[in-house]
Amino acid sequence: MATTTSSELTAPFLLLLLLAAVARSTAELVNLTLLTGAQEKGAVCLDGSPPGYHLQRGFGSGRHSWFIHLKGGAWCNTIGSSRNTIEDCSYRKMTYLGSSTLMGAVEFDGILSNDKQLNSDFYNWNKVVVRYCDGASFSGDAEAQDTDGSTIYFRGLRIWNAVLDELMEKGLASAKQAILSGCSAGGLATLLHCNDFHARFPKEVSAKCLPDGGFFLDAESLAGERYSTFFSEVVQLQNVSEVLPKDCLAKKNRTECFFAAELVKSIKAPTLIVNSAYDSWQIQNILAPAESYHGVSWSGCKSDIRNCSSSQIQVLNGFRKQFVDDVKVVKDKKGWGLFIDSCFYHCQLTEFPWSPWNSSASPELGNKTVAKAIGDWYFERSQQVKQIDCEYPCNPSCS
């Protein structure tokens, strides 16, 4: 495993601390709102508690514009865990990923910031963060018996519908502009619910989708196991079906239709896919999970791409090729966009300091930061925002 000296860490580490301090100085803590009548609607977290969201009201010219962001946090089948799927969901229900009783206020930063200098396009919009507590990207509808005899509720689809219905009553129904976004598992949820979100508005409303770090591949691990093995457990346990595209289900099984590469073929709403072709989470958990290799030969590489050997970079480039091949299906779709960089990131819009939103650490493609690219795509200030980066380490703007 390659090592890094303290002197080599100093400059970038201090920069990250500085950027984090600046972001936090302008970020606003927004309290949790619990869903009204959740139990009666059957729209509950894994432990049966009501789901929640954080709402920050828009102002000025943004009073009738809405940005809905779905939080992520993987799924109920931790890779490399000794627990089986039920046990993993049981564990999650004792955390904020499965119970609203353990949720607190969240900071609105990145694309959620109300600072005009940091977030000039969306700073004054109504902004909502929907908390993730179902373990299946807001898509399941089932329940199971826990090992202690209690019930585990898989009600992600009901949570989605109930929260959106409540937000519609709180002003979303009169939106003139709207974006559905999400990070990681929330990015996948954005793709799963994009058509439904778009269909909730009249045709004259500019309703678009913005999945961030949600384009997960059915890639093989170093040990040769496909990621569909893990997704199939989620799909079957949580009865994921209603949310999946019917045209896909006519030709493929439910697990195949749960992957982004199939979902995008059925999405009608304008969508911009933001993702790294060297997605750090996917490399660490799909391509090279701990059980897929022996010793520590991959530990340094998957924690920092700069530590990878030339042979490991070739493997990562194979992963990138599959990513680029899968995402090419949207290149000719009107109103769609791509911001596929070659940085070692996972999610780039919020949750600072891990994301580089509109900072000196932001990657650039076609001379545009991710913030500029999203604004140009949504407001149609540019004819085309479809950028796929070259192979690592070609992009000097990657931090």
Side-chain angles (χ1 to χ4, degrees):
M1 177 178 176
T3 58
T4 307
T5 66
S6 59
S7 61
E8 289 173 319
L9 279 174
T10 301
F13 184 66
L14 288 177
L15 175 61
L16 273 179
L17 286 178
L18 177 61
L19 292 172
V22 171
R24 289 195 175 110
S25 69
T26 60
E28 182 176 338
L29 272 175
V30 181
N31 290 325
L32 180 71
T33 298
L34 295 178
L35 179 70
T36 305
Q39 278 84 5
E40 292 84 350
K41 299 169 185 173
V44 293
C45 297
L46 291 172
D47 70 336
S49 62
Y53 58 89
H54 308 259
L55 169 60
Q56 184 183 66
R57 288 291 184 178
F59 56 93
S61 62
R63 286 194 309 273
H64 297 292
S65 299
W66 286 73
F67 189 96
I68 312 297
H69 184 78
L70 306 177
K71 291 279 277 185
W75 307 273
C76 279
N77 58 338
T78 303
I79 301 171
S81 171
S82 59
R83 301 185 293 270
N84 63 31
T85 304
I86 285 285
E87 290 173 338
D88 190 52
C89 293
S90 178
Y91 173 79
R92 285 173 72 102
K93 79 175 188 178
M94 297 183 290
T95 74
Y96 67 89
L97 287 172
S99 175
S100 63
T101 64
L102 300 169
M103 296 175 186
V106 298
E107 288 184 338
F108 276 30
D109 50 33
I111 200 170
L112 299 169
S113 173
N114 62 1
D115 187 321
K116 187 175 182 179
Q117 287 188 316
L118 293 175
N119 188 28
S120 60
D121 283 321
F122 309 107
Y123 74 98
N124 62 350
W125 284 32
N126 295 280
K127 295 183 284 285
V128 181
V129 169
V130 185
R131 297 298 289 268
Y132 179 41
C133 65
D134 65 279
S137 290
F138 298 89
S139 67
D141 191 6
E143 59 185 51
Q145 188 174 40
D146 202 345
T147 52
D148 63 2
S150 63
T151 301
I152 304 179
Y153 298 93
F154 305 127
R155 299 288 175 77
L157 182 56
R158 298 193 198 190
I159 291 173
W160 159 261
N161 284 319
V163 169
L164 262 289
D165 288 346
E166 184 161 305
L167 292 175
M168 295 293 276
E169 294 175 359
K170 290 190 173 185
L172 180 60
S174 60
K176 306 300 182 188
Q177 301 178 120
I179 294 177
L180 176 65
S181 182
C183 161
S184 193
L188 176 59
T190 300
L191 294 170
L192 287 163
H193 294 291
C194 182
N195 279 340
D196 177 61
F197 180 76
H198 185 259
R200 288 173 180 260
F201 303 97
K203 290 183 179 180
E204 62 270 18
V205 175
S206 177
K208 302 184 180 184
C209 300
L210 180 61
D212 179 23
F215 204 99
F216 295 91
L217 301 187
D218 186 14
E220 284 190 357
S221 72
L222 297 174
E225 187 167 17
R226 300 196 74 87
Y227 200 56
S228 51
T229 302
F230 299 99
F231 264 5
S232 66
E233 295 174 0
V234 175
V235 167
Q236 293 175 38
L237 178 66
Q238 299 221 24
N239 187 32
V240 177
S241 57
E242 185 178 339
V243 72
L244 300 175
K246 290 181 173 55
D247 53 346
C248 180
L249 291 173
K251 298 173 288 187
K252 300 178 181 292
N253 64 47
R254 291 187 298 167
T255 300
E256 290 176 289
C257 297
F258 196 62
F259 280 95
E262 293 300 327
L263 290 171
V264 295
K265 296 176 183 178
S266 302
I267 293 175
K268 299 178 177 64
T271 300
L272 171 62
I273 297 170
V274 177
N275 226 106
S276 169
Y278 298 88
D279 187 297
S280 57
W281 191 92
Q282 293 194 59
I283 287 171
Q284 292 162 1
N285 295 280
I286 295 179
L287 179 65
E291 74 275 11
S292 69
Y293 60 91
H294 300 290
V296 294
S297 60
W298 271 85
S299 297
C301 173
K302 72 176 190 175
S303 64
D304 187 337
I305 197 170
R306 295 172 298 180
N307 293 331
C308 297
S309 67
S310 57
S311 60
Q312 288 169 328
I313 290 293
Q314 287 183 353
V315 175
L316 299 189
N317 283 341
F319 180 90
R320 174 192 176 274
K321 183 181 184 304
Q322 181 179 345
F323 189 99
V324 171
D325 288 345
D326 281 358
V327 84
K328 276 182 178 177
V329 68
V330 308
K331 286 198 74 175
D332 296 326
K333 296 187 78 166
K334 186 178 180 181
W336 282 57
L338 294 170
F339 191 93
I340 311 299
D341 56 65
S342 60
C343 307
F344 196 58
Y345 291 144
H346 180 61
C347 293
Q348 301 179 46
L349 306 187
T350 184
E351 300 176 29
F352 202 90
W354 312 115
S355 63
W357 175 263
N358 209 14
S359 72
S360 60
S362 179
E364 293 186 7
L365 292 179
N367 296 318
K368 293 181 181 181
T369 63
V370 65
K372 180 71 163 56
I374 290 170
D376 286 354
W377 162 75
Y378 182 81
F379 295 105
E380 300 178 6
R381 296 188 298 234
S382 178
Q383 286 189 336
Q384 183 166 294
V385 181
K386 291 183 179 176
Q387 297 286 340
I388 298 179
D389 210 352
C390 44
E391 291 184 351
Y392 175 87
C394 68
N395 191 336
S397 68
C398 288
S399 168

